[in-house]
Amino acid sequence: MEEGMYRAVCGGRIALQRRQYSASCREFSVRCPRLQLRSLSAATCSVWLAAYGLFVLSQNSMVLSAAIFITLIGLIVYLHFVKIDQESLLVIGSLGIQMTSSYASGKENTTFIEMSQVKDVVINEAIYMQKVIYYLCILLQDPQEPHGVSEVVPLFQKKAAAGKLLQFSLFPTRGCFVIEQSSCSWPSRKEKEPAFFIAPVGPEILADRNFEKNDQK
Amino acid sequence: MVLKVFFPSCCATAESGLLIGRWIPEQNSAVVLAVVHFPFIPGQVKQYLSEVQRVTQIDMCVLGSWSNSKQEKEEVLDKFLEDLSTIFSHEPWIQLSKEGDSKFWSCCIFQKCPSSPKEDEFILVYYDQRKVMLSQLHPTDSLTTFADHKGNDASKLGAVFDTVAKSKVLFMTDRYDDGPIKLTHWQSEGVEASIIVELMKQASVPVCMLLTFLLSLVSSVCKSRVLKFWPLSFIWSKLSTCEQLGHRLEHLQIISSNRKAQNQTQLMRKANIFVSLLIDMTLGILLMSWLYRENRIGQLADTLIPVADHIAKELQDLLQWLMGVPAGLKMNRALDQVLGRFFLYHIHLWISYIHLMSPFIEMILWYVGLSACLGLTVALSILSDIIALLTFHIYCFYVYGARLYCLKIYGLSSLWRLFRGKKWNVLRQRVDSCSYDLDQLFIGTLLFTILLFLLPTTALYYLVFTLLRLLVVFVQGLIHLLVDLIDSLPLYSVILRLCRSYRLAASVKFRVLEQKPGKPLRLLMQINPLSYGSVVQTYRLTTYACYPKDSWSSLCKKLFVGELIYPWKHKEEKLD
């Protein structure tokens, strides 16, 4: 099991963990820092101070109860729907690829894509603000057209990583990279910020460790 | 190639024996369904398997051997198990063995002609047999078309679910049977059944027959020729209550038909209709009990006449305002007075009719309220019809205003063309130039001027009554939307998703269990249920949808020209 600390596009630190269970099964997980007590207390205090200020102005005690409700409900919604704890990608050769996002409240969203549906795994580029960033995505097979692509699924949708290039051999039949691009930002296709990308490349590139950009399909 | 074995978690503690199941060669995976224990006669095992194969249409075979030894490995047992592979020839022969209480199993694969020289990798996937058997996989759209096109390239998971679901007959024998074969599977401790379910199944047959008989009587009455004469058939088509009652009648017919549901979708549909009817009637009876307690019907009837009076008075005030100087606009006095007096007389007639009916209102309401026991949707439809009847005069005013305005606009457009020297060619459906005589031009221009200066008055009346009509239509539309919601919500599916979420599966999820180097990869397959949104979308009941017929632009155009609008359209055929 290998672990590395990287910096995400939004500035926070994230940890990447790679585990190999067997020759055809690997797991990559990206972990984000947990919710800090500092920020939680700061947010709660500010909301309640504002509510108390309004109460002093309006002398209506409903403001205080409303503030409590808002804080509670806002916290629950944030923990359950917004704050992601960990995102992991489990690749089981000849079965499929599974992407899990687990939220701070314990909720887990899992998507499983069967190997027969996967057409290819590519690196895609996009323009985010003033930079060009690269992200990983899976191309799904179009059932009607054998050469068509029905869907593009970006991986690691919520968090982005930045770091150095890694070399990794994933599928026994073709060499793949897990590339983490240094100091680049990630596209926000509908608030999705994928982390890194795997590209099928030939064996001659497997030896190149300083590979920075790969837009091969 | 990687070999995958789907092993039921209930057989992990079974005694040693043979593994039976299905081998899927194109995916290189084996689905183990049960374990046959020693002692057995190979001939009987083969016969049993062929019988099961005939019934379930799955090619079931002996996949390998399973040894669960409490002590250390026994050499004799190993040799015996290897010999079994010669009796039941299956390619490849899978040999799983578990020692003591160890979590990590070892497995070997014997192949007569190994296809590839590389070492075969082995993946062991545990699955919950009962949940997989009861669940129904809902693949996404891309996958269903995928399966249709290439039959053997279908989803792997679909094949696994299919295999387990079809082998129900295999799971019917438990360990207390006196047959020659002793099996272990999820039901081997005893077949699961529920007394309540069995009793309900027995009771449902006569109930369904009675219901079918009653429904046939009712539908024959409805279809009788007496009700088909012109005024009555017109009224039936306009009342939304009749439509709703007809809809519910169809639902009852679907439930009470004695044909068994062919597949899962039909079964869910029947269950959804049943639960929807039940909830509807419960809510209706609750409403009825609330209405009839403390003489609320009497109170309602007492307030109805004053409300109708109040509406009429408000309309009269509105018309007086229009007859004066509405919003600072100067009206044409004579036309204004004519239109205003015309509408005021109408209101006077309407009020007289309402007052004529007032002694009977309470009795009518009392009897009509009884029909709320047929369901909340029927009560809401009756409410919508009552609103339509009470505001009938607004509808009449709207029609008068619209027709007048429409005629005016029509005349204006035609005379405008004359003003410019053009004419509408009916044959060619286009505007052509035309030379008019002087007297035609003179009269045409005169009429055009008159119509143009009378336009603001008519337009104002039209505007006011159209707004009132739209308000009433909006309220009716809301009630119909609510009725549609109650009709089409698949409550049974939602409750099933809440309580037994494994029955509605969107996909699966894998969890990697503890690993030990040298031992095969162990995964746990769990069911990933459908989201609530997709449940509602997949199992929505068909309704006579109430949706806007026109887009906004065509609606505005119709309003401008003065055409009569019927914004809510009830589809004739069902919305599937």
Side-chain angles (χ1 to χ4, degrees):
Chain A
M1 177 163 105
E2 297 150 41
E3 188 158 341
M5 294 296 294
Y6 299 98
R7 190 166 288 281
V9 129
C10 39
R13 296 177 68 80
I14 56 177
L16 167 73
Q17 218 180 46
R18 293 180 298 279
R19 293 173 77 135
Q20 176 166 359
Y21 293 113
S22 83
S24 65
C25 177
R26 282 164 210 238
E27 185 174 24
F28 304 91
S29 40
V30 175
R31 240 191 10 252
C32 324
R34 298 283 171 90
L35 185 65
Q36 303 270 357
L37 189 61
R38 265 193 306 217
S39 44
L40 183 63
S41 327
T44 316
C45 284
S46 54
V47 169
W48 284 356
L49 275 174
Y52 193 67
L54 274 175
F55 170 66
V56 163
L57 283 174
S58 68
Q59 292 299 320
N60 187 1
S61 64
M62 284 296 287
V63 173
L64 294 175
S65 346
I68 293 178
F69 266 125
I70 289 174
T71 318
L72 272 176
I73 293 181
L75 187 67
I76 290 177
V77 164
Y78 178 69
L79 287 179
H80 199 69
F81 293 110
V82 175
K83 176 94 185 96
I84 295 216
D85 218 11
Q86 178 178 306
E87 274 197 304
S88 62
L89 178 78
L90 177 70
V91 182
I92 310 169
S94 85
L95 257 183
I97 303 179
Q98 175 172 294
M99 294 170 285
T100 316
S101 336
S102 44
Y103 291 83
S105 65
K107 172 172 100 154
E108 279 190 10
N109 257 357
T110 321
T111 323
F112 181 72
I113 303 177
E114 289 188 54
M115 230 18 136
S116 53
Q117 269 186 296
V118 171
K119 186 169 193 292
D120 217 341
V121 178
V122 300
I123 300 169
N124 215 349
E125 354 175 83
I127 299 177
Y128 179 68
M129 304 264 206
Q130 78 282 16
K131 297 186 254 199
V132 173
I133 57 178
Y134 306 95
Y135 63 96
L136 188 66
C137 52
I138 299 181
L139 300 178
L140 295 187
Q141 187 92 326
D142 193 4
Q144 273 86 25
E145 279 174 78
H147 299 296
V149 171
S150 79
E151 210 180 313
V152 177
V153 180
L155 296 181
F156 289 104
Q157 292 171 352
K158 302 289 182 188
K159 285 297 148 200
K164 58 181 198 295
L165 184 79
L166 283 190
Q167 192 174 323
F168 216 60
S169 167
L170 198 65
F171 302 104
T173 49
R174 45 180 192 212
C176 285
F177 273 129
V178 173
I179 302 172
E180 291 137 48
Q181 204 67 358
S182 55
S183 62
C184 66
S185 43
W186 300 94
S188 51
R189 291 173 71 217
K190 302 176 197 171
E191 303 109 40
K192 291 185 167 89
E193 293 167 26
F196 34 82
F197 44 97
I198 301 176
V201 289
E204 64 277 354
I205 306 184
L206 270 172
D208 187 359
R209 289 195 73 99
N210 293 325
F211 203 70
E212 275 209 344
K213 172 181 153 179
N214 187 351
D215 56 352
Q216 207 174 1
K217 269 222 170 163
Chain B
M1 252 299 252
V2 180
L3 184 79
K4 302 173 279 279
V5 171
F6 291 87
F7 197 83
S9 23
C10 49
C11 296
T13 48
E15 302 287 328
S16 314
L18 285 179
L19 297 169
I20 53 174
R22 182 183 172 202
W23 168 251
I24 309 175
E26 39 297 333
Q27 295 161 15
N28 218 28
S29 51
V31 182
V32 174
L33 292 169
V35 175
V36 177
H37 295 297
F38 308 119
F40 57 81
I41 303 173
Q44 282 182 333
V45 170
K46 287 188 186 167
Q47 191 189 7
Y48 179 69
L49 280 179
S50 58
E51 261 178 43
V52 170
Q53 200 168 324
R54 197 176 39 89
V55 172
T56 60
Q57 313 290 329
I58 307 176
D59 42 346
M60 226 174 281
C61 51
V62 177
L63 293 169
S65 69
W66 157 250
S67 84
N68 182 2
S69 53
K70 301 287 186 293
Q71 309 94 318
E72 295 302 316
K73 277 170 72 119
E74 295 170 17
E75 291 296 327
V76 176
L77 197 59
D78 280 347
K79 193 75 183 65
F80 173 59
L81 291 172
E82 267 184 50
D83 289 338
L84 279 176
S85 69
T86 51
I87 306 175
F88 301 99
S89 56
H90 176 75
E91 179 89 5
W93 182 258
I94 302 169
Q95 209 161 309
L96 290 172
S97 61
K98 173 180 170 186
E99 284 123 40
D101 283 328
S102 160
K103 279 185 285 191
F104 306 105
W105 304 353
S106 53
C107 75
C108 326
I109 309 168
F110 293 109
Q111 266 180 321
K112 288 203 184 79
C113 33
S115 50
S116 58
K118 276 204 299 193
E119 178 77 24
D120 270 353
E121 207 195 318
F122 202 83
I123 297 185
L124 194 58
V125 181
Y126 295 105
Y127 70 96
D128 190 331
Q129 205 164 43
R130 173 169 177 265
K131 289 192 175 169
V132 168
M133 191 186 89
L134 289 174
S135 92
Q136 194 200 356
L137 203 58
H138 297 84
T140 52
D141 292 324
S142 56
L143 209 55
T144 39
T145 44
F146 206 55
D148 290 337
H149 275 252
K150 310 172 190 180
N152 54 356
D153 236 306
S155 150
K156 289 180 191 172
L157 302 167
V160 171
F161 276 70
D162 207 35
T163 310
V164 180
K166 280 191 185 155
S167 13
K168 262 201 162 93
V169 78
L170 185 69
F171 303 134
M172 284 299 163
T173 51
D174 56 30
R175 56 145 64 158
Y176 304 110
D177 278 347
D178 281 330
I181 316 276
K182 295 255 177 296
L183 290 173
T184 301
H185 46 74
W186 71 275
Q187 258 189 350
S188 53
E189 297 294 324
V191 175
E192 280 188 4
S194 160
I195 290 198
I196 300 176
V197 170
E198 296 299 317
L199 280 176
M200 279 180 63
K201 278 189 192 166
Q202 295 297 321
S204 67
V205 171
V207 166
C208 276
M209 283 176 52
L210 180 68
L211 211 58
T212 324
F213 175 65
L214 285 172
L215 285 174
S216 58
L217 276 179
V218 169
S219 43
S220 62
V221 163
C222 289
K223 287 195 178 58
S224 70
R225 299 214 23 163
V226 171
L227 296 174
K228 290 264 190 246
F229 289 134
W230 181 78
L232 285 174
S233 68
F234 181 70
I235 295 176
W236 297 149
S237 68
K238 287 295 169 198
L239 284 178
S240 59
T241 315
C242 300
E243 218 170 295
Q244 180 64 21
L245 282 173
H247 195 217
R248 281 307 194 203
L249 204 69
E250 258 183 58
H251 279 175
L252 275 174
Q253 276 174 337
I254 294 179
I255 298 183
S256 63
S257 80
N258 46 11
R259 247 179 339 157
K260 248 176 103 66
Q262 302 297 331
N263 55 14
Q264 187 73 359
T265 325
Q266 280 185 8
L267 184 70
M268 293 288 276
R269 196 173 126 87
K270 269 187 159 182
N272 278 325
I273 292 178
F274 180 68
V275 171
S276 159
L277 270 172
L278 205 68
I279 299 277
D280 201 11
M281 294 213 177
T282 317
L283 286 174
I285 292 178
L286 277 174
L287 180 70
M288 210 172 80
S289 71
W290 179 81
L291 270 180
Y292 284 88
R293 220 185 304 164
E294 296 166 24
N295 196 21
R296 289 219 173 85
I297 290 270
Q299 286 172 5
L300 206 70
D302 285 339
T303 53
L304 210 64
I305 303 292
V307 161
D309 272 345
H310 178 74
I311 293 179
K313 185 160 179 323
E314 291 291 322
L315 271 176
Q316 276 172 340
D317 286 343
L318 183 72
L319 282 168
Q320 293 291 352
W321 178 69
L322 281 175
M323 273 160 65
V325 184
L329 297 168
K330 186 165 185 302
M331 301 275 105
N332 180 292
R333 195 114 187 95
L335 185 62
D336 216 0
Q337 297 285 324
V338 162
L339 286 175
R341 294 229 174 92
F342 176 62
F343 289 133
L344 278 173
Y345 182 62
H346 257 269
I347 293 178
H348 172 75
L349 276 178
W350 181 252
I351 289 298
S352 322
Y353 287 141
I354 294 271
H355 280 247
L356 211 66
M357 276 222 323
S358 62
F360 308 112
I361 291 271
E362 183 167 346
M363 193 167 60
I364 294 175
L365 265 184
W366 204 92
Y367 284 114
V368 159
L370 276 181
S371 63
C373 75
L374 290 173
L376 184 68
T377 46
V378 177
L380 283 173
S381 314
I382 291 179
L383 178 69
S384 153
D385 285 336
I386 288 177
I387 290 178
L389 281 175
L390 278 182
T391 56
F392 188 63
H393 49 331
I394 295 182
Y395 175 64
C396 284
F397 291 169
Y398 164 70
V399 171
Y400 299 149
R403 285 275 184 245
L404 210 60
Y405 179 75
C406 180
L407 273 173
K408 183 156 278 197
I409 293 286
Y410 195 62
L412 268 176
S413 60
S414 162
L415 288 172
W416 170 246
R417 275 180 235 124
L418 176 138
F419 205 56
R420 286 157 48 220
K422 298 206 187 291
K423 190 179 85 163
W424 174 255
N425 192 339
V426 183
L427 272 175
R428 297 287 182 94
Q429 295 289 315
R430 66 170 187 209
V431 177
D432 277 341
S433 65
C434 171
S435 63
Y436 290 99
D437 294 338
L438 192 62
D439 47 354
Q440 282 174 330
L441 273 178
F442 182 62
I443 295 188
T445 314
L446 211 61
L447 281 175
F448 175 74
T449 324
I450 293 174
L451 282 179
L452 185 66
F453 288 136
L454 289 180
L455 185 65
T457 316
T458 331
L460 195 68
Y461 274 91
Y462 172 65
L463 184 73
V464 167
F465 291 131
T466 309
L467 285 174
L468 283 174
R469 170 86 187 129
L470 282 178
L471 185 69
V472 169
V473 159
F474 181 69
V475 169
Q476 275 192 299
L478 278 178
I479 296 180
H480 285 165
L481 269 173
L482 190 61
V483 167
D484 264 342
L485 185 73
I486 299 179
D487 265 345
S488 68
L489 193 69
L491 266 176
Y492 176 72
S493 307
V494 170
I495 294 174
L496 199 67
R497 166 67 182 86
L498 199 65
C499 304
R500 304 256 183 277
S501 54
Y502 56 84
R503 294 273 298 261
L504 302 164
S507 178
V508 294
K509 51 187 177 200
F510 290 94
R511 195 157 63 95
V512 182
L513 300 172
E514 231 180 290
Q515 301 298 318
K516 191 165 156 187
K519 299 287 185 184
L521 178 68
R522 295 160 73 228
L523 298 170
L524 177 67
M525 183 170 92
Q526 291 166 313
I527 295 185
N528 203 13
L530 271 179
S531 63
Y532 286 99
S534 6
V535 166
V536 169
Q537 209 179 355
T538 321
Y539 290 108
R540 273 193 63 163
L541 292 171
T542 57
T543 57
Y544 291 101
C546 176
Y547 67 101
K549 187 162 66 162
D550 300 306
S551 63
W552 284 110
S553 57
S554 68
L555 191 72
C556 287
K557 183 171 167 293
K558 278 192 182 169
L559 281 175
F560 185 69
V561 169
E563 263 181 57
L564 288 176
I565 49 171
Y566 300 101
W568 302 113
K569 181 178 159 209
H570 273 242
K571 274 182 79 100
E572 290 305 320
E573 60 281 353
K574 285 190 197 176
L575 194 71
D576 232 321

